[in-house]
Amino acid sequence: MRGAQASDVLGPLLDSRARALRDLRISVTDRCNFRCRYCMPREVFGRDFEFLPRSEILTFEEIARVARIFAHLGVQKLRLTGGEPTLRAGLPTLVRMLSEIPIDIALTTNGSRLTELARPLADAGLTRVTVSLDTLDDEVFRWMNDADFPVGAVLDGIDAAARAGLGPVKINAVIRRGINDHTVLDLARYFRGTGHIVRFIEYMDVGATNGWRLDDVVPGAEIIRTIDATFPLEPAPSNYPGEVVRRWRYANGGGEVGVITSVTEPFCGSCTRARLSADGSLYTCLFATNGTDLRHLLRSGASDDEIAATVGARWNARDDRYSELRAASTAELPRIEMSYIGG
Ligand code: SAM
Ligand code: SF4
Ligand code: SF4
């Protein structure tokens, strides 16, 4: 598979609902230094929890090979995630290897290690960074991450990313009713005019350990109304077709905010994302229950074409639209944890 990209020759790889394969999220570790209660609750991910052994995690060479194959199949963006991706030793080395593809390389991180890593990652070829920060209230934040990690250190990480040329930084804030919804306006106010873009995310029923209830979800429309009451907002057009964030611009200047309304206004119809777990399984939906084992192929001598054919067949058969079907009947279905599959 050298030379022209498969997608140039054959047109984009489409699933059964005519959605192209455009994005690959790569989980580089299932471990994390936070225990966010909505993602890795300590009661489940405690001392006895068995994370993947090192031998089962894809090596950098294996990740780079898979990424190259996906790029040939039409993927235009890679996002490194986890678990907490910055815990993976030597992450800048992986970024440098991926930067040879060439492809857009983004990172989603809790920001805890960005003060040291932003510069090496940028130098290695990282193009963009998204930092998860659910509130500016230090007490609420320490409770939410359940690792007593302070807000100030994440803000320092965001500054370091901007200094390293990774700005504007996107800030992801998951909003939960009764937990941090009273701090929405503070987040908007703080980042207004900085060039960084806050995106408020509806709390999702991902995984099976967080005890999700619909009542905990704060609809994106409500979040926008809250901000608009103090800082008038006007809708802004999408940057590209299929963009999941709904953009709103401050009418009086100061940039924009966004909402990701996965629960109240699902966007499965334009979902072009595939996910690769840290142990090399391909998932075609955040809510998938089964993955396709690519590690076995990688470690048993399969050629790039054989791996591409497996991915292509899986994507062609893809029918996922969990968020559109979400209902009481889906609540009890088994699901993969987000920290494993990659958020
Ligand atoms: N550790 C990194 C981080 O927190 O940015 C990357 C992995 S984390 C699983 C990716 C994103 O998923 C984070 O922005 C996190 O807030 C979000 N997330 C986790 N559980 C969620 C849930 N139940 N609903 C909505 N977003 C969630
Ligand atoms: Fe860790 Fe990110 Fe999950 Fe929080 S959301 S527990 S930082 S993986
Ligand atoms: Fe994509 Fe699945 Fe989320 Fe729908 S539910 S947007 S198909 S990941």
Side-chain angles (χ1 to χ4, degrees), residues 70-299:
F70 272 81
H72 280 292
L73 288 170
V75 160
Q76 296 165 344
K77 279 190 214 162
L78 299 177
R79 179 170 293 278
L80 301 177
T81 177
E84 175 46 42
T86 58
L87 295 189
R88 177 83 187 247
L91 192 65
T93 304
L94 173 64
V95 170
R96 189 165 297 287
M97 289 163 73
L98 295 173
S99 71
E100 287 168 14
I101 291 185
I103 199 164
D104 194 39
I105 310 168
L107 171 75
T108 300
T109 172
N110 61 25
S112 60
R113 301 200 60 211
L114 272 184
T115 40
E116 315 94 86
L117 280 175
R119 175 70 60 188
L121 287 169
D123 290 348
L126 189 72
T127 22
R128 290 175 298 127
V129 65
T130 299
V131 176
S132 304
L133 176 60
D134 299 332
T135 180
L136 290 177
D137 182 315
D138 197 53
E139 197 181 332
V140 175
F141 186 62
R142 287 176 194 254
W143 184 86
M144 287 184 84
N145 66 54
D146 202 14
D148 206 27
F149 201 85
V151 169
V154 179
L155 295 177
D156 289 347
I158 293 169
D159 289 346
R163 277 197 307 277
L166 293 169
V169 176
K170 289 187 180 140
I171 320 286
N172 276 1
V174 176
I175 305 302
R176 282 184 69 183
R177 173 97 52 211
I179 306 285
N180 63 338
D181 50 341
H182 61 294
T183 69
V184 160
L185 190 61
D186 288 344
L187 263 174
R189 182 184 285 115
Y190 183 88
F191 287 106
R192 183 169 164 259
T194 62
H196 305 317
I197 302 168
V198 187
R199 295 119 47 95
F200 296 94
I201 301 178
E202 290 178 350
Y203 174 43
M204 286 187 286
D205 49 338
V206 67
T209 58
N210 60 15
W212 183 90
R213 294 177 322 137
L214 188 57
D215 290 352
D216 296 334
V217 179
V218 182
E222 183 180 328
I223 292 169
I224 291 303
R225 275 199 305 277
T226 301
I227 301 171
D228 179 67
T230 301
F231 302 114
L233 293 168
E234 53 195 27
S238 298
N239 286 313
Y240 51 88
E243 190 179 33
V244 299
V245 65
R246 286 179 190 257
R247 300 173 59 216
W248 293 81
R249 186 184 295 128
Y250 290 111
N252 300 321
E256 60 181 89
V257 288
V259 280
I260 301 183
T261 53
S262 348
V263 178
T264 60
E265 295 171 280
F267 34 78
C268 301
S270 57
C271 179
T272 56
R273 289 179 295 278
R275 293 177 157 84
L276 184 69
S277 64
D279 58 351
S281 281
L282 168 66
Y283 290 85
T284 54
C285 177
L286 189 49
F287 297 89
T289 40
N290 293 308
T292 304
D293 182 7
L294 300 184
R295 188 187 64 199
H296 172 72
L297 293 175
L298 289 164
R299 295 187 181 175

Side-chain angles (χ1 to χ4, degrees), residues 278-326:
D279 58 351
S281 281
L282 168 66
Y283 290 85
T284 54
C285 177
L286 189 49
F287 297 89
T289 40
N290 293 308
T292 304
D293 182 7
L294 300 184
R295 188 187 64 199
H296 172 72
L297 293 175
L298 289 164
R299 295 187 181 175
S300 62
S303 68
D304 285 4
D305 285 336
E306 284 165 339
I307 296 172
T310 300
V311 173
R314 180 65 203 91
W315 190 264
N316 285 150
R318 177 186 191 241
D319 186 35
D320 304 290
R321 54 190 187 108
Y322 176 91
S323 288
E324 287 181 355
L325 301 173
R326 180 185 281 116

Side-chain angles (χ1 to χ4, degrees), residues 32 34-36 38-40 83 110:
C32 188
F34 286 13
R35 285 291 178 274
C36 301
Y38 54 68
C39 179
M40 295 180 77
N110 61 25

